[in-house]
Amino acid sequence: MKPHALAVVLLNVVGVFLFMSSPLALGQSPKGTNSLAVFEQRILPILQSQKPSSCSECHLSGVDLKEYIRPTQTETFTSLVAGGLIDVEKPDNSKLLQFIARAPEKPNLVTEKVRRLEYEAFRAWIQAAVSDPKVLNSSAKAEPIGPQIPDEVIRHARQDRVLASFMENIWTEVGRCAACHSPDRNQKQVTEHGEQVSWIKLNDPAATLAYMVEHGLIDPKEPEGSLLLMKPTMQVEHGGGQKMVVGDRSYKQFRRFIDDYAAVVAGKYKSTDQLPKAVGEVSVVTDIWLKIEGVPESFDKMLLQADLYRQTDSGWSPFRVATSDRPVFGKGKLWQHSLSLTAPRDSKWANEITAQRLPPGRYLIKLYVDRTGKLQRDFNAELNDEDFVGEVEVDSRWPVGYGKMTVVQFPTTR
Ligand code: HEC
Ligand code: HEC
């Protein structure tokens, strides 16, 4: 075992010991302990601390231990009792202690230390307070205590929810950036440009998100200026060239996560109706390529979106099963890009797309071109009937790989 691994194990054992230790081992005769002194020496400093409480390990915002403390001991006590957070009969069973004791499977060592201090402080104070008649019988007014925002908002700001959104909106797309940004594939880029090009942490979305925030690739203070958006759209110079266009599907997904992340971190959401609406479609990128030849030169540099519908026994599928969007290369009368598979959330097809394969067969491809630049003006805009430029049918086995593109001709009549 490596020395630091051993240290982790030892610390964990100590942590478990402190949390599990019997009242006798720790609290040492709360009777006679001056509860006010404990409150002032151990609880008030938590209220005054600039540092986030241990809750922040799982709650990005919306919840903080400070919200469970009032300026005076009696106010704090009566409010916590009224809120059902202190068990006067069995102080060690108090719900507040259970909140504090809650730890992730792999806790951060610093937070774990903070958590232990918080736990011991509250445990000592609660024990002293319930055996102090002055506090127990205080006539201080009980005020609402704890976070005063709806549970749904608290849930939305939880680290596990935020990570799930990161995986759905960004992690699913980074395969497109992997050739140059994943440490298993980018030796040449690292040699030429430095270690910072390896921002993908292999098979570890949580570490990737943490890295992006720490190194400013995601900027919660100015979300739309995040490097993660500015680089691939070439709003600032990018060694990999243009990989995204403002308003395309990937850009929308990136913004969906980054804007929401910024709002969560800033604690902007106060009510349920401010939360972003759930999106009905899920997607995965593939290495299946589609090429369209004979595209009118006049569409040069405009975003062309191809939506694929699959032939079924009852006609074309009612929803698009794949899509792709990319600017037209006018001079070459050409458009080509990899497909993203798309599915209604929770549908059977949504489970199947994770295999990143498109079943062989006949498909209808509907084509849209952003001729008015509406996506640049409003990245939330969608291409629709006004932008429709034609459709084409194709039979393909949809082989994987840049060298095995499915090729269709741009439709000449509508
Ligand atoms: C290990 C992760 C973790 C830590 C640390 C944590 N919580 Fe939570 N918290 C959760 C989860 C998960 C839920 C969702 C409800 C459940 O499963 O009980 C939750 C729910 C809540 C809720 C109720 C909202 C709801 O969804 O019902 C409150 C209030 C809350 N936590 C407060 C706190 C406070 C205060 C702290 C710090 C003292 C804290 N939590 C620390 C994981 C955590
Ligand atoms: C063909 C190679 C290539 C591809 C593909 C590529 N990039 Fe890059 N990218 C680079 C190179 C080279 C750099 C370093 C030079 C620079 O900063 O422009 C870079 C830098 C970056 C940076 C700055 C990193 C930092 O910390 O300075 C970001 C962010 C970025 N790329 C995002 C993306 C995204 C998002 C994608 C996928 C949608 C992508 N790139 C695809 C080559 C690529």
Side-chain angles (χ1 to χ4, degrees):
M1 203 184 313
K2 280 183 272 174
H4 74 268
L6 184 65
V8 170
V9 170
L10 282 176
L11 260 165
N12 271 341
V13 171
V14 172
V16 169
F17 171 73
L18 285 176
F19 278 112
M20 309 275 284
S21 54
S22 75
L24 279 179
L26 242 190
Q28 287 303 348
S29 139
K31 287 201 185 66
T33 313
N34 181 341
S35 65
L36 184 58
V38 179
F39 185 79
E40 285 174 348
Q41 283 159 23
R42 301 179 72 176
I43 304 298
L44 278 186
I46 298 176
L47 179 62
Q48 287 147 1
S49 168
Q50 299 294 317
K51 295 200 190 99
S53 61
S54 65
C55 318
S56 68
E57 201 169 9
C58 299
H59 297 273
L60 212 48
S61 67
V63 162
D64 196 288
L65 196 51
K66 296 180 183 65
E67 291 164 321
Y68 296 83
I69 306 172
R70 291 284 168 271
T72 69
Q73 151 166 253
T74 44
E75 259 182 276
T76 306
F77 186 81
T78 48
S79 304
L80 284 173
V81 172
L85 290 156
I86 287 182
D87 185 333
V88 178
E89 303 295 327
K90 298 196 196 90
D92 278 352
N93 287 358
S94 295
K95 207 167 148 194
L96 185 58
L97 293 180
Q98 291 166 17
F99 272 155
I100 303 172
R102 188 169 209 164
E105 258 171 55
K106 285 184 265 168
N108 166 301
L109 287 186
V110 177
T111 319
E112 194 54 23
K113 212 174 137 210
V114 172
R115 177 173 296 118
R116 217 153 54 225
L117 288 173
E118 292 169 353
Y119 186 88
E120 285 163 16
F122 267 98
R123 185 160 180 265
W125 173 66
I126 292 174
Q127 287 189 347
V130 297
S131 48
D132 182 341
K134 280 203 299 297
V135 181
L136 202 55
N137 304 321
S138 151
S139 58
K141 198 161 159 280
E143 302 278 354
I145 201 158
Q148 303 301 311
I149 50 173
D151 281 354
E152 209 175 315
V153 176
I154 297 180
R155 262 168 232 155
H156 185 80
R158 250 168 41 206
Q159 297 270 16
D160 56 337
R161 299 292 187 99
V162 169
L163 182 61
S165 166
F166 176 76
M167 290 173 72
E168 178 170 314
N169 290 305
I170 294 188
W171 186 251
T172 51
E173 297 281 315
V174 297
R176 297 178 42 202
C177 323
C180 305
H181 292 299
S182 188
D184 57 332
R185 294 170 61 183
N186 68 353
Q187 281 322 302
K188 193 167 149 275
Q189 269 79 14
V190 170
T191 315
E192 281 174 25
H193 301 277
E195 276 300 335
Q196 87 289 353
V197 293
S198 295
W199 48 256
I200 297 176
K201 306 298 148 196
L202 213 54
N203 303 321
D204 196 341
T208 304
L209 171 58
Y211 179 91
M212 286 176 169
V213 173
E214 199 174 314
H215 292 82
L217 271 59
I218 289 179
D219 181 357
K221 296 225 162 62
E222 205 215 320
E224 68 275 24
S226 296
L227 270 190
L228 195 62
L229 299 163
M230 300 297 276
K231 284 272 175 185
T233 52
M234 291 282 272
Q235 294 178 87
V236 298
E237 210 179 293
H238 178 218
Q242 189 190 51
K243 295 286 158 214
M244 261 159 60
V245 178
V246 172
D248 74 12
R249 200 187 47 81
S250 303
Y251 183 87
K252 283 191 175 82
Q253 277 189 205
F254 277 41
R255 280 297 290 270
R256 197 177 299 142
F257 176 78
I258 295 174
D259 290 2
D260 181 39
Y261 182 83
V264 165
V265 169
K268 279 208 179 122
Y269 301 126
K270 301 292 176 211
S271 64
T272 312
D273 59 342
Q274 292 173 322
L275 297 176
K277 307 273 165 290
V279 175
E281 187 180 66
V282 292
S283 67
V284 300
V285 295
T286 71
D287 198 27
I288 301 168
W289 286 74
L290 175 66
K291 177 176 185 168
I292 308 176
E293 294 177 343
V295 181
E297 228 176 309
S298 58
F299 292 160
D300 186 38
K301 295 196 177 66
M302 294 175 186
L303 189 80
L304 182 152
Q305 174 182 322
D307 287 348
L308 278 68
Y309 296 80
R310 188 179 169 192
Q311 190 174 50
T312 71
D313 294 341
S314 50
W316 301 115
S317 57
F319 50 84
R320 64 180 186 183
V321 294
T323 188
S324 182
D325 51 10
R326 191 94 185 126
V328 170
F329 174 46
K331 231 170 146 197
K333 297 189 166 59
L334 174 67
W335 176 96
Q336 64 188 34
H337 196 38
S338 54
L339 294 182
S340 286
L341 306 186
T342 50
R345 189 183 294 279
D346 300 328
S347 64
K348 183 162 164 277
W349 176 234
N351 287 329
E352 293 166 12
I353 61 175
T354 54
Q356 296 170 295
R357 295 285 182 278
L358 198 53
R362 194 157 185 82
Y363 287 75
L364 173 70
I365 308 177
K366 289 188 163 197
L367 301 172
Y368 304 83
V369 173
D370 182 10
R371 286 165 293 188
T372 58
K374 67 193 210 185
L375 296 179
Q376 290 282 330
R377 289 193 301 276
D378 171 13
F379 79 90
N380 272 316
E382 296 284 351
L383 298 186
N384 55 25
D385 290 349
E386 285 170 22
D387 311 294
F388 181 73
V389 293
E391 59 187 35
V392 56
E393 291 181 26
V394 64
D395 254 310
S396 179
R397 306 193 55 245
W398 303 109
V400 171
Y402 182 80
K404 298 181 185 170
M405 293 194 196
T406 295
V407 183
V408 301
Q409 298 301 313
F410 192 87
T412 45
T413 53
R414 294 197 38 180

